[in-house]
Amino acid sequence: NISPQLSYSVRNYIRRKQSIDARHSHNRDELELFRVLPAELRRALLQEARGPILLSQLLFAAVKKCNLRFFERLCCDLLHSTTVLPDDHIFSVAVLCLQVYFVVAGETTYFAYTGVASVLMGGDSNNMNAMNSGGEMSDFHKKLHRGVPEGTCLCEPALWVRWLHRGDFDATSQASLLLLEVN
């Protein structure tokens, strides 16, 4: 007989493996599609798909208005897409930020450590427990650990200064992100 915990772990591993395999297959299909498209159509497709995500941020709307060619290069040449799986850890607090992140689709969460610091510096320490007596997340913990809506841009300051992450960013479902390298 197999324990329920082991059975659950095996099922989760198989689901995760299938999801990874499907992601690789999707990426191969996408690359194959891009190879057969002429460069002009490929660039138009990327700009139309990625442009609205960037334009939701004031900075990138200004870039498009001031320099359309650079905006096109940004959409087509500088942004890279990635898919993350449930429970993938995307970045951690206090690590040097090397990318700006745009949430395209899926569910992600951000745990803001700056809120922890404010409580430690004079807030109500009784509210710091992650779980309340009913086994649910405390209000304090909910404020710090929040969902990140689609279209959100994270780590924009890394474009201008040497930036350390101020929280943890995780996927809670399969999610699609756009990444802009800042090195």
Side-chain angles (χ1 to χ4, degrees), residues 41-63:
L41 278 176
R42 186 173 50 244
R43 294 183 80 73
L45 180 63
L46 287 171
Q47 189 172 351
E48 194 167 306
R50 296 174 174 174
I53 295 156
L54 291 178
L55 292 174
S56 67
Q57 307 301 314
L58 183 59
L59 167 68
F60 297 105
V63 165

Side-chain angles (χ1 to χ4, degrees), residues 67-118:
N67 190 333
L68 186 58
R69 175 71 177 134
F70 179 73
F71 184 77
E72 179 188 306
R73 299 284 314 254
L74 186 63
C75 290
C76 300
D77 302 329
L78 300 175
L79 282 175
H80 303 282
S81 63
T82 189
T83 302
V84 292
L85 298 173
D87 301 322
D88 276 358
H89 189 67
I90 302 161
F91 64 70
S92 298
V93 68
V95 173
L96 182 63
C97 179
L98 301 173
Q99 299 170 321
V100 176
Y101 300 81
F102 299 88
V103 179
V104 177
E107 295 177 15
T108 58
T109 60
Y110 183 78
F111 184 86
Y113 285 92
T114 52
V116 173
S118 69

